[in-house]
Amino acid sequence: MPNRTDASLARRMVRARAARVSALLLGGLFIGFLLLVVVFIEYRRAIDWIDHTHKVISAVEELQSTLSDAESGQRGYLLSLDPRQLVPYEEGRERSRALLDRLRSLTADNPVQQDKVTALRSLTADRLDRMAELLRQADEAGVAWAPAPVREGIGANMMAEIRRMTATMRADEDLLLAGRSRHATILELLMIAYGIVFVTVTGWLCFSTVRRLERDYQAERAEGEVLAATLQENRILLDEVNHRVKNSLQIVANLLRTQAMRHRSEEVRQELLDSSSRVLAIAEVHRRLYGEGAVYDTVELTDLIRSIAENAVPPTGGAEPSMTLATGAPLSAPVDTAVPVALIVNELLTNSYKHAFPDGRRGRVTVDMAVAGNEVRIDVADDGIGLPEEVAGNSGGGFGLNTARNLTRQLRGRLEIERLTPGTRFLLTFPMKPPAPTQA
């Protein structure tokens, strides 16, 4: 038992330590999960900034392309004075203004780019105004003058400045894009690394927990098998001991009965027979308590009283009184109730058979047991000559009747004696307490 106790204590300590480690790991995983959420949010912001930078670059490239289209349309009109050439020019004018507004909105977080957008807006406005002025002059001067501005390259310097400005903005945005892409890549690698660590730690934690539970289960199963085997051995030993105790009690009862048959004194003979009857009553309880299929802590009271009543009939072989037994439904009682009840019923029946029917008188003895609520009532009556008035009192009678009164007080019950015409009635009433579970 000490070894099993030490093993159980060691197992509990290991479980407690494992529980603390698991709690720390779970706490770390939870904190790591929160960090992962923060990193993921930051990663999403980095991706949004990358998309934002791409939009700025796309707007800058589109602005440059739109201005080039507008310039090509204006040049085509100057060379041919074909009104259809003005379509891309007009579209370019409107589109360039919209793109400049979009660039101002997209670069609102970058003061440096805002300054460049302002300068670009001024250059674009000057270039568009210059293109409009050339178109007006071409309309006034006619076909002969219109190709002259194209050959002279009027406005080329302005477009070169616009291209230089857009190239600078594009270069700045490319630098921002590279930094933001690098930041997003680092965050992505962090998430991947943490995901690998999270899966690894979680898998190891689950695996170690399952292994620990399996080891605990195997250890407890082995311990349970040892305990079951020990309990079975103890049960076999207990059955053997109780079987010998029961046999010993029967031997004692037989010895008392044999001694009674050999004794010359009638009074001593009767006392020995009464003692033998009491020992047999205890042996009957013992037999039922530890017999085959017994539960070792309760006795079936109905069958016990039936056996006590049958054994109490004197083996005279003559015209002994008849017996009537009514015990009702089965009732289980704890052993500390069954033994006093068996002795009391034995004493009452012995008293009836001994004193109620002298000189071979015929008669009838009845035993009735009933349960009313939490109380048990056992009624033993006869139609014999009846008890003397002084015996029916609270303290009258011999050893057997006083023994019944003492056992009744042990049961916290009451024993009422009633004189009938003819006969005597004994009414035993006691509370039935629930059986206490055994330690086994």
Side-chain angles (χ1 to χ4, degrees):
M1 183 61 70
N3 292 334
R4 287 197 295 269
T5 303
D6 294 342
S8 299
L9 180 60
R11 222 168 28 248
R12 286 196 295 271
M13 293 178 63
V14 170
R15 289 175 182 173
R17 184 165 59 251
R20 289 194 295 270
V21 173
S22 299
L24 290 175
L25 287 174
L26 289 175
L29 289 175
F30 179 72
I31 294 174
F33 177 75
L34 294 180
L35 292 176
L36 179 63
V37 172
V38 173
V39 171
F40 179 76
I41 294 174
E42 185 64 24
Y43 174 75
R44 289 302 310 168
R45 290 182 57 190
I47 294 299
D48 292 339
W49 277 114
I50 290 175
D51 292 340
H52 178 82
T53 306
H54 280 296
K55 290 178 181 179
V56 174
I57 293 174
S58 177
V60 170
E61 291 177 347
E62 189 175 356
L63 175 63
Q64 184 173 343
S65 175
T66 299
L67 290 175
S68 297
D69 291 342
E71 186 179 32
S72 298
Q74 183 237 20
R75 185 180 297 109
Y77 179 76
L78 292 177
L79 292 174
S80 62
L81 292 181
D82 185 359
R84 290 177 297 180
Q85 298 293 331
L86 292 177
V87 174
Y89 164 75
E90 296 294 340
E91 292 178 351
R93 284 176 59 90
E94 298 300 326
R95 182 62 180 163
S96 62
R97 292 191 179 97
L99 288 172
L100 286 169
D101 292 337
R102 186 182 181 191
L103 278 173
R104 176 170 291 278
S105 175
L106 290 173
T107 58
D109 61 301
N110 193 335
V112 176
Q113 293 290 63
Q114 284 276 289
D115 293 340
K116 291 178 181 178
V117 170
T118 301
L120 188 59
R121 180 185 291 274
S122 178
L123 287 173
T124 301
D126 291 343
R127 177 56 182 151
L128 291 176
D129 291 342
R130 179 60 180 168
M131 287 174 14
E133 177 64 22
L134 289 175
L135 291 174
R136 186 185 62 78
Q137 292 177 2
D139 290 337
E140 292 178 355
V143 178
W145 179 85
V150 176
R151 291 191 297 270
E152 295 173 2
I154 299 174
N157 293 333
M158 288 185 177
M159 283 301 299
E161 183 64 19
I162 289 174
R163 292 189 182 93
R164 186 189 66 80
M165 186 69 66
T166 55
T168 302
M169 289 187 67
R170 169 64 187 269
D172 292 344
E173 291 298 324
D174 286 339
L175 290 176
L176 288 174
L177 179 62
R180 289 168 178 173
S181 297
R182 186 165 53 252
H183 180 61
T185 302
I186 293 173
L187 293 177
E188 185 176 4
L189 291 175
L190 281 176
M191 286 192 298
I192 294 174
Y194 179 78
I196 295 174
V197 172
F198 183 86
V199 171
T200 302
V201 173
T202 303
W204 175 82
L205 182 60
C206 293
F207 176 74
S208 61
T209 301
V210 171
R211 285 194 61 187
R212 184 176 64 253
L213 291 176
E214 184 178 0
R215 288 196 300 268
D216 289 346
Y217 170 74
Q218 295 295 339
E220 289 185 354
R221 182 177 179 180
E223 184 178 350
E225 291 175 353
V226 173
L227 288 174
T230 304
L231 181 61
Q232 183 62 26
E233 293 175 1
N234 292 338
R235 183 184 291 272
I236 294 173
L237 292 175
L238 184 61
D239 288 342
E240 179 65 22
V241 169
N242 287 302
H243 180 71
R244 294 185 180 184
V245 170
K246 180 195 70 173
N247 292 340
S248 299
L249 288 172
Q250 290 177 341
I251 292 173
V252 171
N254 292 333
L255 289 174
L256 289 172
R257 186 175 293 275
T258 302
Q259 187 68 28
M261 294 297 103
R262 293 182 177 181
H263 209 284
R264 296 179 180 179
S265 172
E266 180 66 25
E267 182 178 355
V268 173
R269 184 185 303 116
Q270 190 59 51
E271 290 297 333
L272 290 174
L273 289 175
D274 290 346
S275 298
S276 175
S277 177
R278 296 182 186 108
V279 173
L280 286 176
I282 297 175
E284 183 65 24
V285 175
H286 205 80
R287 182 180 71 84
R288 294 182 176 277
L289 182 64
Y290 300 108
E292 183 179 357
V295 295
Y296 296 94
D297 57 359
T298 61
V299 176
E300 213 291 294
L301 199 59
T302 303
D303 287 343
L304 174 64
I305 293 177
R306 188 186 307 276
S307 297
I308 295 295
E310 292 173 353
N311 292 334
V313 177
T316 60
E320 69 272 3
S322 63
M323 165 71 68
T324 301
L325 183 64
T327 53
L331 176 64
S332 295
V335 63
D336 57 352
T337 298
V339 172
V341 168
L343 290 173
I344 292 171
V345 173
N346 181 75
E347 293 297 335
L348 296 179
L349 290 171
T350 301
N351 185 81
S352 294
Y353 285 121
K354 185 191 301 185
H355 301 292
F357 307 101
D359 303 326
R361 178 174 175 171
R362 301 176 65 87
R364 185 181 186 84
V365 178
T366 61
V367 179
D368 186 12
M369 188 186 81
V371 180
N374 196 35
E375 283 192 338
V376 180
R377 297 165 59 90
I378 300 177
D379 192 342
V380 178
D382 62 71
D383 57 357
I385 62 173
L387 287 176
E389 186 174 354
E390 63 274 10
V391 176
N394 292 330
S395 59
F399 176 78
L401 193 55
N402 286 322
T403 298
R405 291 191 180 100
N406 292 331
L407 292 172
T408 301
R409 284 191 290 271
Q410 179 180 331
L411 291 174
R412 299 183 182 275
R414 59 185 182 274
L415 179 61
E416 302 174 15
I417 304 176
E418 182 182 355
R419 299 176 65 195
L420 304 176
T421 53
T424 306
R425 179 190 181 206
F426 300 93
L427 179 59
L428 172 65
T429 306
F430 60 91
M432 175 59 72
K433 62 180 179 180
T438 63
Q439 292 299 321

